[in-house]
Amino acid sequence: VQLQASGGGLVQAGGSLRLSCAASGFTLETYVIAWFRQVPGKEREGVSCISSRGGSTYYADSVKGRFTISRDNAKKTAYLQMNSLKPEDTAVYYCAADYSRTDYVSSICVLAPFGSWGQGTLVTVSS
């Protein structure tokens, strides 16, 4: 099971980026995908989750209305569209996968024991 996150970069406040999480070695449609972010010296924050077939999603309050998580199981890729970016969104973003038998995620999805993680992609938002 391998995940590779990409799409990070430098963007001005108010701009947009789309992160991708490419999976290999497993059937993506049986896994919940989540995005996390972490700033050095701070705790990791769960940003968003999407259920195994995309039927439900979760967003942290800090990104709700600005970020959109999606997935294309045929392409084995999940995405995080980030709009209206703010300097406080600056962080290393990681994607993670957790096996799931249902097409549902709850508000505590980010607390699941995600066993597979991507390597992280840096997002820097300048003011």
Side-chain angles (χ1 to χ4, degrees):
V1 176
Q2 290 188 329
L3 298 171
Q4 183 168 357
S6 62
L10 174 64
V11 63
Q12 288 188 331
S16 299
L17 282 174
R18 189 177 79 157
L19 305 184
S20 297
C21 177
S24 61
F26 64 103
T27 302
L28 188 64
E29 64 186 19
T30 56
Y31 284 77
V32 168
I33 297 294
W35 286 95
F36 295 82
R37 65 187 182 186
Q38 188 165 25
V39 176
K42 294 189 177 181
E43 288 191 3
R44 186 176 62 201
E45 177 187 12
V47 173
S48 182
C49 302
I50 186 166
S51 60
S52 58
R53 293 183 293 281
S56 68
T57 56
Y58 160 82
Y59 297 94
D61 287 343
S62 57
V63 306
K64 198 172 296 182
R66 300 187 298 120
F67 290 12
T68 302
I69 192 170
S70 62
R71 64 193 296 156
D72 185 335
N73 287 341
K75 294 184 178 179
K76 291 191 172 183
T77 303
Y79 306 95
L80 186 68
Q81 178 67 43
M82 306 186 296
N83 298 330
S84 302
L85 283 162
K86 304 176 181 179
E88 51 263 45
D89 294 318
T90 295
V92 177
Y93 285 71
Y94 300 88
C95 59
D98 182 42
Y99 179 75
S100 174
R101 296 182 178 181
T102 65
D103 186 28
Y104 175 77
V105 292
S106 71
S107 60
I108 60 170
C109 59
V110 294
L111 300 180
F114 289 90
S116 300
W117 292 80
Q119 83 286 6
T121 185
L122 176 63
V123 173
T124 303
V125 184
S126 63
S127 56

